[in-house]
Amino acid sequence: MSGFTRHRRSGRIIATFSGFEADLLRSLASQLVELLRNEAAVPSEHADPLEAMLSFEGPTTEPDDPVLARLFPTAYPGHEEEAAEFRRFTEGALRDGKAAGAATVIDGLEDAGLPAELGEEKVVIDIELEPDVAGVWLKTFTDLRLALATRLEVEQDDEMFWASLPDDDPMSQAHDIYEWIGALQETLVDALR
């Protein structure tokens, strides 16, 4: 894995992925979209007709799923009413934005030639991103890392735990993916500078 670099002449952000790597990124981004879309918002009763017309029917409580709770933390801890109002007016748009970002990654991989199903043939995917689209990828990598860290219960200074797991342990393999996304994220940050 070489990661992202900036093309000297065009200024585009470029990377090359194996078919396996590209398919893994597509799968992770697809799972993120599914997660963002599956937990329904809690509708509220409308006391204000203008509010009903503008459709501010976002959720008012913290999501049940720990990953969603991490992606959409409570804005005002200890202030339930303010936190509920903030969530109601912002979370729907934030979810849409994160899902659109993940879809941008999927579309970019598929537009670069990633087939719907990987076969036995060797596939190489060359990605070229304009800097603004690369910024969307960067945000999606952040969301993916937060999701993986939450599911794996990654904590600060727990490197010894992860190093002690056997290579064939599914948790170790998932942690390797978490680390790989972090490495991609780091090269993308460097390329955007």
Side-chain angles (χ1 to χ4, degrees), residues 19-66:
F20 174 78
E21 292 169 330
D23 195 45
L24 178 57
L25 279 176
R26 175 175 58 193
S27 174
L28 291 170
S30 297
Q31 290 174 55
L32 181 60
V33 170
E34 186 176 333
L35 177 66
L36 291 166
R37 296 289 182 222
N38 274 351
E39 191 173 294
V42 179
S44 60
E45 295 297 321
H46 294 291
D48 182 346
L50 177 61
E51 183 179 308
M53 188 174 73
L54 296 176
S55 185
F56 289 121
E57 292 189 8
T60 58
T61 59
E62 186 173 300
D64 293 332
D65 187 293

Side-chain angles (χ1 to χ4, degrees), residues 93-108:
L94 291 172
R95 280 182 186 241
D96 290 346
K98 289 179 182 299
T104 297
V105 171
I106 295 165
D107 292 344

Side-chain angles (χ1 to χ4, degrees), residues 7 27 29 31 39 58 70 103 137 148 156 169 174 184 189 193:
H7 190 269
S27 174
Q31 290 174 55
E39 191 173 294
R70 180 66 181 101
W137 280 55
L148 286 166
Q156 189 171 356
D169 186 301
L184 286 176
V189 167
R193 287 190 183 145

Side-chain angles (χ1 to χ4, degrees), residues 47-134:
D48 182 346
L50 177 61
E51 183 179 308
M53 188 174 73
L54 296 176
S55 185
F56 289 121
E57 292 189 8
T60 58
T61 59
E62 186 173 300
D64 293 332
D65 187 293
V67 171
L68 292 174
R70 180 66 181 101
L71 290 174
F72 307 106
T74 299
Y76 302 104
H79 301 278
E80 286 184 37
E81 190 174 318
E82 292 89 347
E85 283 298 293
F86 183 83
R87 187 175 296 280
R88 183 167 68 101
F89 289 112
T90 61
E91 188 173 315
L94 291 172
R95 280 182 186 241
D96 290 346
K98 289 179 182 299
T104 297
V105 171
I106 295 165
D107 292 344
L109 293 166
E110 291 176 351
D111 290 348
L114 180 62
E117 298 271 334
L118 282 182
E120 294 298 316
E121 73 279 357
K122 185 175 181 173
V123 177
V124 176
I125 305 300
D126 293 320
I127 296 292
E128 289 188 31
L129 306 172
E130 294 294 338
D132 58 329
V133 176

Side-chain angles (χ1 to χ4, degrees), residues 165-179:
L165 293 177
D167 289 341
D168 61 349
D169 186 301
M171 291 277 290
S172 175
Q173 294 167 356
H175 188 264
D176 289 346
I177 293 169
Y178 165 79
E179 292 287 338

